[in-house]
Amino acid sequence: MKLEEIKLGEVLNVKRGTSLSGKYYDTKGTKIRLTLGNFNYPLGGFKNNTSKLNIYFNGPVKDEFILKKGDVITPLTEQVKGLLGETARIPKSDVYIQSGDIGLLIPDEKKLDKSYMYHLISSAIIKNQLSKGAQQTKIRHTSPDKIKDCVAWIPDLNIQQKVGSFLDDIDLKIANNNAISKELESMSKTIYDYWFLQFEFPDKDGKPYKSNGGKMVWNDQLKQEIPEGWEVGTLDQLFQITMGTSPKGDTLNQDANGIEFYQGSTDFGRFYPRARVYTTKPIKMVKSREVLLSVRAPVGAMNFSQNDCCIGRGLAGIHYDVSPIFAWNKLKSMQNYFDIFNNNGTTFGSLTSEMLNKLVVIIPDINVIKLYAKKTNVIEQQIKINHSENQQLKSLRGFLLPLLMNSQVKISD
């Protein structure tokens, strides 16, 4: 197979985003300003930014910086080691604003397939060049010209199209698994709401409790009725709570040396965070499948720990042996309370140990929780399976990417 040596500038253009004034940042709006937090590093692709609250921009902006679905972007600033060269596709038209830290990749489609470009830029071939050429400051930068100066060897357009399509198929399978997991999560929440908020859990005859005459008892503390036999207590009476403590800075590294360390919600997805930082001297540890709750802005952001890990002062670990998914949905149902700290007008809303531990909650009958755990166990297991499969697909994609780019592996007709 013939490969042509080119500079990227011969087959694509890179357009820098616009500067956005902070006075127009907002927590609500119709246009979202892209940030480095929209790159799903190191897993690849686009993600919603959960690390900031004021992601909207309500000021004037030129139409050329409002991106379309399928546009390919890349970071021009390396917020974390290895970020340069990452790529993401814009998921929706006329919503996202290209800010100054973001480069828009525009291929010459007579020479470079758009999907092939998406994967080429994020390959080791290009990322290594960008890393070596990055401006050596505390936070490293690249530029459109430096990206265009990178050298690559590319095959004919029809081969590019096959490679791009094959790698897109892997990404599509990963996205489908994520969509299925999201629906499963929604199912577990629907059951939770019906049983524990509307009190329509199965009675002894298997019928919805409250609507079929189940006895309700008035609670003065909550100013509402709750099912007979249920109690009112504090969150630390229901769950085991661990408040994070950050290890010393000189114990931290990004080289996978030691224990996974999470400081806050920056790397949160739906269920599993991504390890970027490790510590050789962990202080506060939590177990796998514990709920990780952000206690600093944004208060209330949540994730499940994938492994035993260390947590810093921005997080609390919520442990519940009976049903981790119950703990997840219990905390989700308290989001209105957490949002008080996010909307208090300060830069860093925070939730103290005392505030969290002594939150007043309804403590359901343990038998109802166990029945919920049994009913949602299949849901939880399938989410785990989807996550595991995605990890394998990502490893396969990472293994094949350089081989396909170097034409060491060919895709048959």
Side-chain angles (χ1 to χ4, degrees), residues 170-226:
I170 294 179
D171 287 349
L172 180 59
K173 175 59 177 170
I174 292 171
N176 285 341
N177 280 347
N178 286 335
I180 291 169
S181 293
K182 185 176 181 179
E183 286 301 313
L184 291 171
E185 180 192 350
S186 178
M187 287 173 59
S188 76
K189 182 181 183 303
T190 298
I191 298 170
Y192 175 89
D193 290 350
Y194 193 55
W195 286 21
F196 298 102
L197 299 183
Q198 300 174 41
F199 309 126
E200 297 290 17
F201 54 90
D203 65 13
K204 59 183 176 62
D205 298 317
K207 297 179 179 179
Y209 180 86
K210 185 176 180 179
S211 59
N212 281 274
K215 187 173 181 181
M216 303 291 291
V217 178
W218 178 259
N219 182 271
D220 282 332
Q221 192 172 7
L222 296 179
K223 306 300 181 186
Q224 70 172 87
E225 289 185 329
I226 62 174

Side-chain angles (χ1 to χ4, degrees), residues 319-326 366 369-371 373-374 380:
H319 180 76
Y320 192 51
D321 270 335
V322 180
S323 174
I325 203 75
F326 171 83
I366 188 63
I369 299 176
K370 287 180 177 178
L371 184 61
K374 183 177 180 180
E380 200 173 351

Side-chain angles (χ1 to χ4, degrees), residues 8 11-12 72 89 105-121 154-168 405:
L8 291 182
V11 294
L12 61 79
V72 179
R89 289 186 176 102
L105 300 169
I106 307 169
D108 178 346
E109 297 195 34
K110 293 180 180 179
K111 299 177 181 179
L112 185 64
D113 177 70
K114 194 172 185 178
S115 286
Y116 186 89
M117 175 191 72
Y118 173 82
H119 297 286
L120 173 64
I121 300 299
I154 62 172
D156 293 339
L157 190 60
N158 66 318
I159 302 299
Q160 293 178 35
Q161 291 166 345
K162 288 182 181 180
V163 171
S165 178
F166 175 76
L167 293 171
D168 280 353
M405 293 298 168

Side-chain angles (χ1 to χ4, degrees), residues 115-351:
S115 286
Y116 186 89
M117 175 191 72
Y118 173 82
H119 297 286
L120 173 64
I121 300 299
S122 62
S123 71
I125 298 166
I126 303 302
K127 292 195 73 168
N128 289 340
Q129 295 179 63
L130 291 175
S131 180
K132 289 177 182 178
Q135 183 181 344
Q136 297 296 319
T137 60
K138 187 174 182 180
I139 298 178
R140 305 199 310 163
H141 303 271
T142 190
S143 67
D145 285 341
K146 287 182 178 179
I147 295 173
K148 291 191 287 185
D149 279 342
C150 290
V151 175
W153 290 261
I154 62 172
D156 293 339
L157 190 60
N158 66 318
I159 302 299
Q160 293 178 35
Q161 291 166 345
K162 288 182 181 180
V163 171
S165 178
F166 175 76
L167 293 171
D168 280 353
D169 284 345
I170 294 179
D171 287 349
L172 180 59
K173 175 59 177 170
I174 292 171
N176 285 341
N177 280 347
N178 286 335
I180 291 169
S181 293
K182 185 176 181 179
E183 286 301 313
L184 291 171
E185 180 192 350
S186 178
M187 287 173 59
S188 76
K189 182 181 183 303
T190 298
I191 298 170
Y192 175 89
D193 290 350
Y194 193 55
W195 286 21
F196 298 102
L197 299 183
Q198 300 174 41
F199 309 126
E200 297 290 17
F201 54 90
D203 65 13
K204 59 183 176 62
D205 298 317
K207 297 179 179 179
Y209 180 86
K210 185 176 180 179
S211 59
N212 281 274
K215 187 173 181 181
M216 303 291 291
V217 178
W218 178 259
N219 182 271
D220 282 332
Q221 192 172 7
L222 296 179
K223 306 300 181 186
Q224 70 172 87
E225 289 185 329
I226 62 174
E228 184 179 41
W230 290 28
E231 299 177 356
V232 173
T234 55
L235 198 67
D236 61 356
Q237 291 177 312
L238 183 58
F239 303 134
Q240 178 184 329
I241 301 173
T242 302
M243 300 298 290
T245 301
S246 299
K248 292 183 178 179
D250 60 5
T251 73
L252 305 179
N253 67 89
Q254 295 180 338
D255 302 318
N257 181 20
I259 300 294
E260 294 177 8
F261 169 63
Y262 300 99
Q263 175 69 30
S265 64
T266 301
D267 296 326
F268 278 19
R270 180 161 293 105
F271 274 99
Y272 302 102
R274 300 185 311 282
R276 290 184 182 174
V277 180
Y278 298 78
T279 176
T280 54
K281 293 184 179 180
I283 299 176
K284 288 293 182 73
M285 293 287 296
V286 296
K287 299 177 181 179
S288 64
R289 297 297 289 165
E290 282 197 25
V291 178
L292 303 182
L293 175 72
S294 175
V295 294
R296 300 182 71 192
V299 175
M302 289 166 49
N303 212 320
F304 269 128
S305 55
Q306 183 176 352
N307 307 300
D308 292 0
C309 60
C310 171
I311 58 171
R313 60 179 181 169
L315 296 178
I318 313 296
H319 180 76
Y320 192 51
D321 270 335
V322 180
S323 174
I325 203 75
F326 171 83
W328 174 274
N329 283 311
K330 179 72 172 179
L331 292 163
K332 278 286 186 185
S333 71
M334 300 163 65
Q335 195 62 52
N336 286 341
Y337 173 78
F338 297 141
D339 283 344
I340 293 172
F341 297 89
N342 297 325
N343 300 320
N344 65 1
T346 62
T347 304
F348 295 105
S350 62
L351 188 62

